[in-house]
Amino acid sequence: MRVAELGLRTGVSIPTIKYYLREGLLPPGERTSPNQARYGDEHVRRLRMIKLLTEVGGLSIVAVKQVLAAVPAQRGEPAGQPPRDAWLAARERVAHLLSARAWNSDLDAHPARALVAAIAALHELGRGDLAGILERYAAVSVELAAIDAAVATDPSDTEAQVLTLVLGDVVLAALRRVVSASGAEQLIGVPLAGKAHQSTASTCD
Amino acid sequence: MRVAELGLRTGVSIPTIKYYLREGLLPPGERTSPNQARYGDEHVRRLRMIKLLTEVGGLSIVAVKQVLAAVPAQRGEPAGQPPRDAWLAARERVAHLLSARAWNSDLDAHPARALVAAIAALHELGRGDLAGILERYAAVSVELAAIDAAVATDPSDTEAQVLTLVLGDVVLAALRRVVSASGAEQLIGVPLAGKAHQSTASTCD
């Protein structure tokens, strides 16, 4: 396909696609004439990945470059058209979660909208197999709220609420990367030992 | 104190302090002459809070403005000098955590450095009472890694690892805000119910 169709299929503007090509985020297409090139499904998929990392993940172009360097081989299957109802299906899934947990949150406003965007983006990328993090992380986020309440004990101390929420994101993200870099943790069952020292261990009683 | 001393005590440049004053992030000082004002401990503390939210929390000035609007009353105690060894103490605390969990991570590089910065910033703000999120979140981050491993089952599928890590941050942050807005969750013990549906519930066996 030409660059114009690549843009149409991904919703990325042509100047932006050309910028990604120059920066090496997107591999060059197959040159068909001095000023034309042909692009394939792998370009569609790569562009969707870049879009997901920047628009949903909030990463800078520099960070996307680093991340994509760690994902050298794009998966083989053709990207195809994303399911047209990816957004609607994601919206329904988030709505179901909120309702099951009796959480009140406007689906069309932040923060619920960020959940919808993340799940929809996974489906558009053909990675609906990972969408289960939504429900699994939801259980963990309740644990985190319990920790926050145990640390910031005075509900009228809004400063403490704000600090645990904002710094908590940073601390969690950093910890996840520390754990991720120490891969063995995931295999040798340290969660069991870790849980014993934790306030939420009482959920096991 | 004059604006120069305010800058020295917080490490914030005078043009930046003047910008915060214009933007209303920092309340005006007490005017002592047509072009001089006197600032107090509450300004030191507020500036440290702004610094923490921007430099450690990564918030934009717009976001800081919103957050500070939710923290109208600054706490009464004088800000004083931050403990000179806040950074060293935070570094030691993080080192202890990493060693106890046998996590390998360079303390002077990201991501461990982000943990040190967050804990040091809390102490500099006189909010060392909240630093316990470090060890408590560490236990949860192991759970999260177990979830990631359960969802992205193929260790050679680096795309899945990257997506669960990057989108995971976004999903978690959004979920924490959903839970935080549904405050009752923290009180009525939903963690117990939530855990039962979760893969890591097996840690209770």
Side-chain angles (χ1 to χ4, degrees):
Chain A
M1 74 196 81
R2 299 278 173 73
V3 69
E5 189 187 340
L6 188 58
L8 279 176
R9 281 182 62 185
T10 56
V12 180
S13 75
I14 294 174
T16 301
I17 292 175
K18 291 189 170 166
Y19 169 65
Y20 293 159
L21 286 164
R22 279 197 308 277
E23 289 290 315
L25 272 73
L26 202 59
E30 182 197 345
R31 198 145 291 282
T32 53
S33 84
N35 52 7
Q36 279 198 339
R38 190 177 288 143
Y39 300 91
D41 280 338
E42 69 278 17
H43 292 92
V44 174
R45 192 154 199 296
R46 190 83 166 182
L47 265 179
R48 285 193 187 136
M49 180 88 174
I50 297 172
K51 214 178 157 191
L52 180 158
L53 293 171
T54 52
E55 293 183 7
V56 184
L59 296 195
S60 67
I61 293 299
V62 174
V64 169
K65 220 169 172 173
Q66 289 176 336
V67 162
L68 288 182
V71 188
Q74 290 297 299
R75 288 155 69 90
E77 75 265 40
Q81 288 291 98
R84 284 203 182 283
D85 53 358
W87 188 275
L88 282 178
R91 202 172 176 282
E92 202 161 304
R93 185 166 183 163
V94 173
H96 182 263
L97 172 75
L98 297 182
S99 137
R101 292 201 171 258
W103 287 338
N104 288 316
S105 195
D106 181 355
L107 274 171
D108 297 312
H110 192 80
R113 197 184 159 86
L115 298 176
V116 175
I119 301 306
L122 282 176
H123 280 288
E124 281 171 11
L125 201 66
R127 292 308 310 239
D129 58 316
L130 305 176
I133 58 168
L134 177 68
E135 291 81 10
R136 289 167 183 253
Y137 282 13
V140 176
S141 70
V142 176
E143 268 185 74
L144 288 166
I147 291 177
D148 292 349
V151 171
T153 46
D154 176 2
S156 71
D157 182 357
T158 50
E159 183 184 83
Q161 320 290 328
V162 162
L163 288 172
T164 51
L165 202 55
V166 174
L167 283 194
D169 288 343
V170 176
V171 169
L172 258 181
L175 282 168
R176 294 182 72 215
R177 276 146 189 81
V178 168
V179 178
S180 160
S182 312
E185 289 287 331
Q186 299 175 22
L187 306 171
I188 57 173
V190 171
L192 286 133
K195 287 292 291 178
H197 304 296
Q198 216 206 328
S199 67
T200 50
S202 60
T203 53
C204 301
D205 295 344
Chain B
M1 73 196 82
R2 299 279 171 76
V3 69
E5 188 187 340
L6 188 58
L8 279 176
R9 281 184 60 185
T10 57
V12 179
S13 74
I14 294 174
T16 302
I17 293 176
K18 290 189 170 165
Y19 169 66
Y20 292 160
L21 285 164
R22 281 198 306 277
E23 288 291 315
L25 271 73
L26 202 60
E30 185 198 342
R31 198 144 292 280
T32 52
S33 82
N35 53 7
Q36 280 198 335
R38 187 177 290 144
Y39 300 91
D41 280 337
E42 69 277 18
H43 291 93
V44 174
R45 192 155 199 295
R46 190 83 168 184
L47 265 179
R48 285 194 186 134
M49 179 88 175
I50 296 171
K51 215 179 155 190
L52 180 158
L53 293 172
T54 53
E55 292 182 9
V56 185
L59 295 194
S60 67
I61 293 300
V62 174
V64 169
K65 219 169 173 174
Q66 288 175 339
V67 161
L68 288 183
V71 187
Q74 292 296 303
R75 291 157 66 90
E77 74 264 40
Q81 287 291 99
R84 285 205 182 280
D85 53 358
W87 188 274
L88 281 179
R91 202 172 175 281
E92 202 161 304
R93 185 167 183 162
V94 173
H96 182 262
L97 173 76
L98 297 181
S99 137
R101 291 199 171 260
W103 287 336
N104 288 316
S105 195
D106 180 355
L107 274 170
D108 296 311
H110 192 80
R113 197 183 157 85
L115 298 176
V116 176
I119 301 305
L122 281 175
H123 280 288
E124 281 173 10
L125 201 67
R127 290 311 308 244
D129 57 318
L130 305 176
I133 58 169
L134 177 69
E135 290 81 10
R136 291 166 182 253
Y137 282 13
V140 176
S141 70
V142 176
E143 268 186 74
L144 288 165
I147 292 178
D148 291 350
V151 171
T153 45
D154 177 2
S156 70
D157 183 358
T158 50
E159 182 183 85
Q161 319 291 330
V162 162
L163 288 172
T164 51
L165 201 55
V166 174
L167 282 194
D169 287 343
V170 176
V171 168
L172 258 181
L175 281 168
R176 294 181 73 214
R177 275 146 191 79
V178 168
V179 178
S180 160
S182 312
E185 290 287 331
Q186 299 177 22
L187 305 171
I188 57 173
V190 171
L192 287 133
K195 287 291 291 177
H197 304 297
Q198 216 205 323
S199 68
T200 50
S202 60
T203 53
C204 302
D205 294 344

